[in-house]
Amino acid sequence: MSGSIPPAPFFLTTDLAERHRLYGELSRSGPVHRVVLPHGEWAWLVVRYEEARAALTDPRLATAGPPFAAELDPGLRAAINSNMLNVDLPEHGRLRRLVAAAFTRRRVERLAPRIQQLTDELLDPLVARAADSSFDLVAEFAYPLPVAVICELLGVPESGRERFREWSFADVNASVIGVQAYAAAATAFVEYLRDLIARKRREPADDLTSALVGARDGSDQLTEDELTSMIYLLLVAGHETTVNLIANGVYMLLCRPGAWAVLGAEPERVPSAVEELLRIDGPVQTSTLRIAVETFEFAGVTIEEGDTVLVGLLAANRDTTTRPDAEDLDLTRSPNQHIAFGHGIHLCLGAPLARLEAQTAFTGLLARFPGLRLAVPPHEIAAEPGLLMNAFHALPVTARPA
């Protein structure tokens, strides 16, 4: 498709309500559409719920890695793409088993007291000054909380975290910023991770990086590129998703009259509310890219071998053709089926951790800021343009009396 055709507007808009409106129009007009991605490539975009679930488990669609992967230096490509997100069965099963051996539920559950402590440490100074000023929820709470959690889980020293936002932003926005900026950030990130791995080999500790260094399944062990790539993935995915879950959720609640107060009065509903916020305004806009390994018919269209296919997670979760009330916020919705964390073999391994962090974060915010509201009108809060994430760069809020 010609590069003169502009990318699909829902990828580039800075208006979150407009993004949802455009996806809704697309979903109502059909389950699968040809669209242009931000980097100029065209793809099939699946936007309805049932078709999205089917596409995420269809063996005729192979994982393709991130945009520009083929243009990277082979050594760099191997160091960032040799993880379970970018491979299919049987290799995916092997990698997931090795990582799951270290990323256990017990290790995640042990983090609960520390997550609570970090939440309190971030909220205390905000409460102290909230009566006099507004603050950026992303910069001062939604971002530092999951970054601290995943870095402590992986054993990343505090002194090494200052550039993570820059590196991570480049990774999830490669389609927008271009291959050169993406490659430069990835190179710096990989250099840092290789140094971290070397230090953990010399001085292993009770952290996930040390556990991954020694992870084995019989005689099988992660290769050096697989190890580097897995830690790369865990650091990026381990905070980007949760940052957006917290920020998008607060925004959604504050935009719906009375929703914040209702949830604050019934904090026991926070776990079900988190699931509804994942569904209605999830942190991830689309799946990673897939490539058709053969020509086949899917949902009324012919997908040719070699075509790129993308699953619109955000659109599918609001598919009103499947669920007429899909655009309604219902904090008590049960059961609540959604694909915010994906579906099938690539279902997010870190979903339990993201849920735990979000539940702790929302419980703390509701208790400390019962009168929280947006500091500016909703339409003035800009969403990040992009292909992968559904995110805000900043979210100004205030607890001052109206």
Side-chain angles (χ1 to χ4, degrees):
M1 185 172 286
S2 170
S4 64
I5 300 176
F10 33 78
F11 296 136
L12 300 187
T13 184
T14 59
D15 185 331
L16 186 58
E18 178 71 356
R19 174 173 290 162
H20 285 302
R21 187 188 69 78
L22 291 167
Y23 272 133
E25 286 185 353
L26 202 66
S27 177
R28 287 187 289 274
S29 66
V32 185
H33 301 269
R34 284 168 63 104
V35 299
V36 179
L37 306 183
H39 55 285
E41 179 183 1
W42 77 266
W44 294 105
L45 179 67
V46 184
V47 291
R48 286 187 182 171
Y49 183 76
E50 295 300 337
E51 288 81 0
R53 283 173 58 92
L56 289 170
T57 58
D58 196 317
R60 297 168 296 185
L61 297 174
T63 55
F68 308 127
E71 299 180 45
L72 298 178
D73 173 84
L76 177 62
R77 183 168 66 246
I80 63 177
N81 290 337
S82 302
N83 60 62
M84 59 192 177
L85 186 63
N86 295 319
V87 296
D88 296 309
L89 293 173
E91 194 65 4
H92 174 274
R94 169 187 165 267
L95 291 176
R96 190 160 182 127
R97 282 194 302 274
L98 284 165
V99 175
F103 202 87
T104 62
R105 180 176 293 276
R106 180 182 176 189
R107 188 183 290 272
V108 170
E109 290 175 346
R110 274 173 29 196
L111 288 171
R114 180 57 177 151
I115 293 172
Q116 185 63 63
Q117 182 182 4
L118 289 167
T119 298
D120 293 339
E121 290 174 357
L122 289 167
L123 290 178
D124 284 345
L126 297 178
V127 170
R129 73 172 213 257
D132 302 314
S133 65
S134 61
F135 60 92
D136 177 5
L137 188 89
V138 173
E140 300 196 57
F141 183 68
Y143 175 76
L145 175 62
V147 165
V149 171
I150 195 62
C151 285
E152 289 191 9
L153 180 63
L154 285 161
V156 177
E158 192 167 351
S159 60
R161 304 173 191 174
E162 65 275 359
R163 293 191 65 190
F164 281 171
R165 193 171 193 185
E166 171 193 343
W167 292 337
S168 181
F169 177 86
D171 181 81
V172 300
N173 288 284
S175 185
V176 174
I177 66 173
V179 64
Q180 290 184 334
Y182 169 49
T187 299
F189 204 170
V190 166
E191 289 175 354
Y192 175 84
L193 294 179
R194 285 175 172 159
D195 180 67
L196 175 68
I197 291 166
R199 282 184 279 140
K200 295 299 180 181
R201 279 205 174 94
R202 293 192 303 268
E203 301 175 9
D206 184 20
D207 57 52
L208 185 53
T209 298
S210 298
L212 288 171
V213 168
R216 288 184 179 274
D217 183 8
S219 61
D220 194 13
Q221 188 174 19
L222 293 169
T223 68
E224 200 66 16
D225 282 334
E226 289 168 349
L227 178 59
T228 305
S229 183
M230 190 58 62
I231 298 171
Y232 183 101
L233 172 65
L234 291 172
L235 276 169
V236 174
H239 80 273
E240 282 284 351
T241 300
T242 312
V243 172
N244 300 341
L245 170 54
I246 295 170
N248 295 2
V250 169
Y251 177 84
M252 178 61 63
L253 290 169
L254 296 182
C255 285
R256 304 295 174 102
W260 188 261
V262 167
L263 191 56
E266 299 180 321
E268 66 276 8
R269 296 192 183 275
V270 165
S272 66
V274 167
E275 295 306 309
E276 178 68 346
L277 295 170
L278 279 163
R279 185 196 67 79
I280 199 169
D281 200 12
V284 183
Q285 192 175 168
T286 65
S287 70
T288 52
L289 302 179
R290 265 72 171 170
I291 296 293
V293 297
E294 62 182 78
T295 298
F296 64 100
E297 296 295 314
F298 183 85
V301 302
T302 300
I303 296 177
E304 302 281 350
E305 181 180 354
D307 283 357
T308 299
V309 178
L310 200 60
V311 178
L313 306 178
L314 198 66
N317 281 330
R318 284 193 177 210
D319 172 19
T320 56
T321 69
T322 301
R323 292 173 289 193
D325 67 344
E327 293 185 345
D328 299 336
L329 178 70
D330 180 359
L331 300 178
T332 65
R333 190 185 298 270
S334 180
N336 195 339
Q337 295 180 317
H338 62 75
I339 53 172
F341 287 122
H343 178 60
I345 65 170
H346 292 290
L347 181 70
C348 178
L349 182 69
L353 178 59
R355 286 184 166 102
L356 175 60
E357 291 178 64
Q359 291 169 15
T360 306
F362 279 105
T363 300
L365 284 165
L366 289 160
R368 302 293 193 96
F369 297 104
L372 194 71
R373 58 188 176 85
L374 298 176
V376 298
H379 67 271
E380 293 184 14
I381 300 175
E384 291 277 12
L387 174 64
L388 182 62
M389 308 307 292
N390 181 46
F392 293 113
H393 179 73
L395 185 64
V397 296
T398 184
R400 289 180 296 182

